[in-house]
Amino acid sequence: VAFSALVVTGDKKGKVGLGLAKAPNVADAIKKSIRLGNRDLVMVPIKEGTIPYETKSKFGAAEVLLRPAPKGTGIIAGSAVRAVVEAAGITDIVCKSLGSNNKTTNARATFKALKHIELLDKKYKLLKIK
């Protein structure tokens, strides 16, 4: 019998990571997933407490829609999406989980969406400089 642990790591300043690991006991599974989460961190560009633009991402059957929200809105999201977004340090956002109710796939879809924002932001900055 193996235990599975899904851990979201973040500094609440734009860095967020996601780790999923299995181990014979719970403590080892958590340690392992924290190590994996810290290994693959994403820098999320946060503008005034929210994301710069709307994004949609799909992972397996889970589809997640992230929308920027005005200041004071708060985090309107489901449990797995909320955990990832809070760890990133986003304070105002509207999220919708479509398709799956599975927490792991929803968290991964959210992480993928934030990764997409990071990549587009880097691309935009490169284009802006030239």
Side-chain angles (χ1 to χ4, degrees):
V1 176
F3 292 94
S4 176
L6 177 69
V7 175
V8 179
T9 59
D11 64 354
K12 296 197 176 200
K13 294 176 189 163
K15 274 188 187 172
V16 67
L18 189 72
L20 177 66
K22 281 184 179 178
N25 57 40
V26 177
D28 289 343
I30 292 170
K31 280 182 197 171
K32 213 172 176 184
S33 57
I34 289 171
R35 191 175 69 242
L36 290 172
N38 288 330
R39 191 180 294 167
D40 185 32
L41 291 172
V42 168
M43 273 300 296
V44 183
I46 300 171
K47 310 273 193 277
E48 296 169 18
T50 189
I51 54 176
Y53 46 83
E54 186 178 312
T55 185
K56 196 174 193 180
S57 180
K58 191 172 167 73
F59 184 88
E63 201 170 342
V64 173
L65 175 67
L66 305 177
R67 285 188 176 152
K71 212 165 196 63
T73 305
I75 299 171
I76 299 170
S79 64
V81 179
R82 177 182 288 272
V84 176
V85 166
E86 276 181 354
I90 297 168
T91 55
D92 303 298
I93 194 165
V94 176
C95 308
K96 182 68 184 157
S97 299
L98 310 159
S100 176
N101 291 331
N102 187 322
K103 288 183 180 176
T104 304
T105 54
N106 281 333
R108 284 190 163 183
T110 308
F111 188 71
K112 190 176 170 186
L114 294 177
K115 210 173 208 174
H116 185 252
I117 291 174
E118 177 200 34
L119 291 173
L120 284 177
D121 194 58
K122 282 182 181 176
K123 197 174 185 181
Y124 175 72
K125 282 182 181 172
L126 288 172
L127 292 172
K128 198 175 179 183
I129 292 167
K130 290 180 181 176

